[in-house]
Structures are given as structure tokens and as C-alpha cells.
């Protein structure tokens, strides 16, 4: 292969990756919009915590991971699951409590796991997955398999002592783990500045972790920064902490509709109009002549069809048999 051919191949790979960023973010948004529709139509039991507005974090980070790398997720975890490779039809089936779901319908929205794609599970407990991710990193180091674990959590988890215990252990053992704090500004219904004292990054650097902060609405910046931290961890550099500044467009959960008592409509609209990760990335793709509006519209249309078919599959799928109620349950 000539140098010119290598450069052409690299350019094509980069172009494919740029469109994949868009496709992945759009897939998450369309998935979440249908989750909200299922809830409002009373087809989905329980609540869901939508990831709309935060898509660039999950995609930017997960695109920097290998298929066999690990992630752990949160109660707001659909985006992480999809970005790591989960199939929408099986995810919808899980949300609806169907046997075809990833956890046979027993996990629901906040406990989806897919070990086949390295997803060690979402967790309804705030900060509940930090130990799981750190344990996965410990096993990766002991087995010398080159894997990295990424632990997603919200800024609310900064109040959980378990986070500091595992960061301490990870630094002592130089584990290949990256802790990704998605700061969407609100710990349920309270601005994080009312619950979190001091500087967030210094909580990690106090243990000696390498720490970085990134605009969580910019998928390219997230990918570049996360890629550096992940490569560093994979090559023996030890644990790292990534603070991603982002924003959830919807309420804490799908039932949180009237939010003006803790944040204004003007604030929400400002983020949607000025800092939307998909809109801004679309503009960049077009400005760089990597895609035109027709191509992006085609991708969105294809994804919409895929999501609609996935919803139809989940609705039609059978529920687990009653006699299986005590199977695959660890409690």
C-alpha cells in the first residue's frame, strides 16, 4: 500500500467515524423519544430517566472503547447501552418487561445489562456501579487482557462515599478504569452547587487520578479527551476522571413535567437552541463537507424506521412465564 493509499484509507475511516457519531447520537435521541411515547401511552411499566441532550457524552466515550472493554451505567442509562452496542429491539423489550429483553424483562429501564457488548449493567442506586466498574478493571489487570472499564455516573454520585473508596483503590493498584462524571447540573431537582462543595476535579486529583474536563455537548471533544484517558489507562497509566458538562432536556424522569420550580423554561430553551449536541454537530459536518442535509435526513429516516420496528417487536413479544419469577434473580 502506498502512502497516498494509506492516507486515503485513513480519510475514509475518519469520514465513516464522523457519520457514525451522528448516527449514534440520533439513534439515542429517537430511542428516548419513543420511550417517552410508550410511557405516555401507558404501555411501559414504571418510570424511565431520559438521556435526551446528553448524547454526545455516551457516544464520544464509547466510540473510543474496544468492543471487549467494559462499561457500567446509571438509572439514566439507555444512551450508554446503545452507544456500547445494544440492540434497540431487545432494549425496548426489556423496558416493556418482555422475555426477549436483555434481562428477560426483569431488569427494566434502570437495570439493563448486556455482557456480550461489555455492558456490566445500569444501576438504580446512585453511584451503585462504581464498585462494579472498578472490580472489572481489577480483573482486567490481573488477567492482563488489555481491557479498560469506564464508569458513567451523574454529579449526584459525588455525595456517595463508595466513589472515593474505589478511586483510592484504583489509584493504589493503578487500575485501567476511567470514571466519567456526567454533570447535567441537576441532582434530581436541586442544582448541583447546592449539594456539592468545592471543585469537582480536585476530588479526583486528591487521590492522584489524572483528571480532565470537557464540553459534554461536543462529541468530537469528548471523543478526543476520552480517547486519551482510555489509551492511557490501557497502557498502564492508571485510573482517570473525566468531568463532562452536559444537560438533560427533560425532567429527572418521564413524570417530571412541570419543572419551573427548580429551573426555568428559558434555561431549557437556551440549551436546546444553542448547545444541542446533534444540531451543532450536524452544522459542523455540513460546514466540513462531510455530509449534506439530505444525507443526514436520510440517516434520521432510516433510524426512525428501525426504532418503529423495534417498538413493534417489543409490543408483540410475549411476557416471561409466571413460573420463571424466581429465576435469574439474585436477592
Amino acid at each position: 500500500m502506498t502512502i497516498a493509499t494509506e492516507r486515503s484509507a485513513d480519510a475514509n475511516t475518519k469520514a465513516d467515524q464522523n457519520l457514525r457519531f451522528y448516527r449514534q447520537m440520533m439513534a439515542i435521541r429517537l430511542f428516548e423519544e419513543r420511550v417517552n411515547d410508550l410511557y405516555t401511552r401507558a404501555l411501559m411499566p414504571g418510570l424511565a430517566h431520559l438521556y435526551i441532550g446528553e448524547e454526545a457524552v455516551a457516544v464520544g466515550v464509547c466510540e473510543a472503547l474496544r468492543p471487549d472493554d467494559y462499561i457500567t451505567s446509571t438509572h439514566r442509562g439507555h444512551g450508554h447501552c446503545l452507544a456500547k452496542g445494544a440492540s434497540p429491539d431487545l432494549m425496548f423489550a426489556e423496558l416493556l418487561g418482555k422475555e426477549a429483553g436483555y434481562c428477560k424483562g426483569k431488569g427494566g429501564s434502570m437495570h439493563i445489562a448486556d455482557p456480550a457488548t461489555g455492558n456490566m449493567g445500569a444501576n438504580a442506586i446512585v453511584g451503585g456501579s462504581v464498585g462494579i466498574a472498578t472490580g472489572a478493571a481489577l480483573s482486567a489487570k490481573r488477567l492482563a487482557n488489555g481491557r479498560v472499564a469506564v464508569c458513567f455516573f451523574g454529579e449526584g454520585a459525588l455525595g456517595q462515599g463508595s466513589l472515593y473508596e474505589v478511586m483510592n483503590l484504583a489509584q493504589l493498584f493503578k487500575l485501567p478504569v476511567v470514571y466519567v462524571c456526567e454533570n447535567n447540573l441537576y441532582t434530581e431537582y436541586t442544582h448541583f452547587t447546592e449539594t456539592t462543595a468545592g471543585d469537582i476535579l480536585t476530588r479526583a486529583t486528591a487521590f492522584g487520578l489524572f483528571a480532565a474536563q470537557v464540553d459534554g455537548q461536543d462529541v468530537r471533544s469528548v471523543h478526543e479527551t476520552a480517547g486519551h484517558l482510555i489509551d492511557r489507562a490501557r497502557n498502564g497509566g492508571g485510573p482517570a476522571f473525566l468531568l463532562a458538562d452536559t444537560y438533560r432536556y427533560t425532567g429527572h424522569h418521564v413524570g417530571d413535567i412541570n419543572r419551573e420550580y427548580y429551573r426555568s423554561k428559558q434555561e431549557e430553551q437556551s440549551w436546546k437552541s444553542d448547545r444541542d449536541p446533534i444540531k451543532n454537530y450536524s452544522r459542523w459536518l455540513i460546514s466540513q463537507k462531510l455530509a449534506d442535509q439530505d444525507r443526514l435526513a436520510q440517516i434520521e429516516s432510516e433510524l426512525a424506521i428501525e426504532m418503529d420496528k423495534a417498538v413493534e417487536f417489543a409490543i408483540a413479544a410475549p411476557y416471561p412465564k409466571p413460573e420463571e419469577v424466581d429465576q435469574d434473580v439474585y436477592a
Side-chain angles (χ1 to χ4, degrees):
M1 181 181 289
T2 66
I3 293 177
T5 304
E6 289 178 352
R7 287 175 177 170
S8 177
D10 289 344
N12 289 335
T13 300
K14 188 66 174 177
D16 291 342
Q17 183 184 63
N18 285 324
L19 282 180
R20 191 165 64 248
F21 287 167
Y22 176 82
R23 178 180 291 274
Q24 289 285 75
M25 288 194 293
M26 183 58 72
I28 293 170
R29 181 157 301 185
L30 294 178
F31 180 93
E32 295 290 63
E33 289 174 352
R34 280 153 181 77
V35 171
N36 190 53
D37 177 65
L38 288 168
Y39 172 78
T40 56
R41 288 196 287 151
L43 295 175
M44 185 188 79
L47 296 172
H49 304 76
L50 303 181
Y51 198 67
I52 296 175
E54 303 183 34
E55 297 90 350
V57 182
V59 173
V61 172
C62 289
E63 282 290 320
L65 292 170
R66 296 188 331 203
D68 62 343
D69 285 332
Y70 303 110
I71 68 165
T72 61
S73 186
T74 72
H75 58 276
R76 198 179 309 282
H78 304 159
H80 308 138
C81 297
L82 288 166
K84 194 60 173 69
S87 177
D89 54 355
L90 302 185
M91 285 187 64
F92 279 124
E94 185 62 36
L95 293 179
L96 298 186
K98 300 302 184 70
E99 187 176 22
Y102 276 112
C103 302
K104 300 181 181 179
K106 300 175 183 178
S109 172
M110 292 187 281
H111 297 95
I112 296 177
D114 179 24
T117 62
N119 181 358
M120 305 303 288
N123 204 304
I125 300 172
V126 174
S129 67
V130 296
I132 298 171
T134 307
L138 176 59
S139 101
K141 180 164 185 177
R142 292 289 296 273
L143 296 172
N145 56 24
R147 294 180 179 178
V148 172
V150 166
C151 177
F152 290 101
F153 55 91
E155 80 287 343
L158 295 170
Q160 298 292 333
S162 57
L163 174 62
Y164 306 104
E165 294 178 18
V166 299
M167 287 198 297
N168 181 68
L169 184 148
Q171 179 63 14
L172 288 173
F173 293 172
K174 292 294 186 287
L175 300 183
V177 57
V178 179
Y179 299 99
V180 180
C181 178
E182 298 177 301
N183 183 2
N184 62 21
L185 301 187
Y186 292 93
T187 304
E188 291 194 356
Y189 318 108
T190 306
H191 197 276
F192 82 98
T193 55
E194 298 180 48
T195 62
T196 309
D199 179 76
I200 293 176
L201 286 183
T202 58
R203 296 183 176 219
T205 57
F207 292 101
L209 273 70
F210 185 89
Q213 187 168 4
V214 69
D215 179 1
Q217 304 306 90
D218 183 345
V219 68
R220 293 184 298 129
S221 293
V222 174
H223 183 259
E224 180 180 0
T225 305
H228 171 68
L229 302 185
I230 290 166
D231 290 343
R232 177 181 176 275
R234 198 185 308 281
N235 294 319
F241 185 99
L242 178 61
L243 174 60
D245 298 313
T246 186
Y247 194 79
R248 57 170 165 84
Y249 289 178
T250 56
H252 171 58
H253 54 71
V254 286
D256 177 19
I257 299 173
N258 300 313
R259 298 180 290 277
E260 288 190 84
Y261 69 94
Y262 70 90
R263 72 185 200 190
S264 68
K265 288 185 177 180
Q266 290 81 3
E267 178 184 292
E268 291 184 5
Q269 187 55 45
S270 175
W271 279 83
K272 292 178 181 179
S273 60
D274 300 333
R275 302 201 57 196
D276 183 83
I278 299 178
K279 289 179 182 177
N280 289 343
Y281 187 62
S282 300
R283 296 188 189 106
W284 181 82
L285 287 173
I286 294 171
S287 71
Q288 298 298 308
K289 302 188 185 308
L290 296 170
D292 56 26
Q293 192 61 54
D294 289 341
R295 176 62 178 135
L296 299 181
Q298 179 187 8
I299 292 174
E300 182 177 354
S301 177
E302 292 169 354
L303 287 170
I305 293 171
E306 178 185 349
M307 294 301 164
D308 289 339
K309 289 182 178 178
V311 169
E312 292 173 5
F313 166 83
I315 291 175
Y319 288 101
K321 296 180 178 61
E323 57 267 26
E324 297 179 3
V325 68
D326 59 351
Q327 296 179 18
D328 307 304
V329 178
Y330 302 95

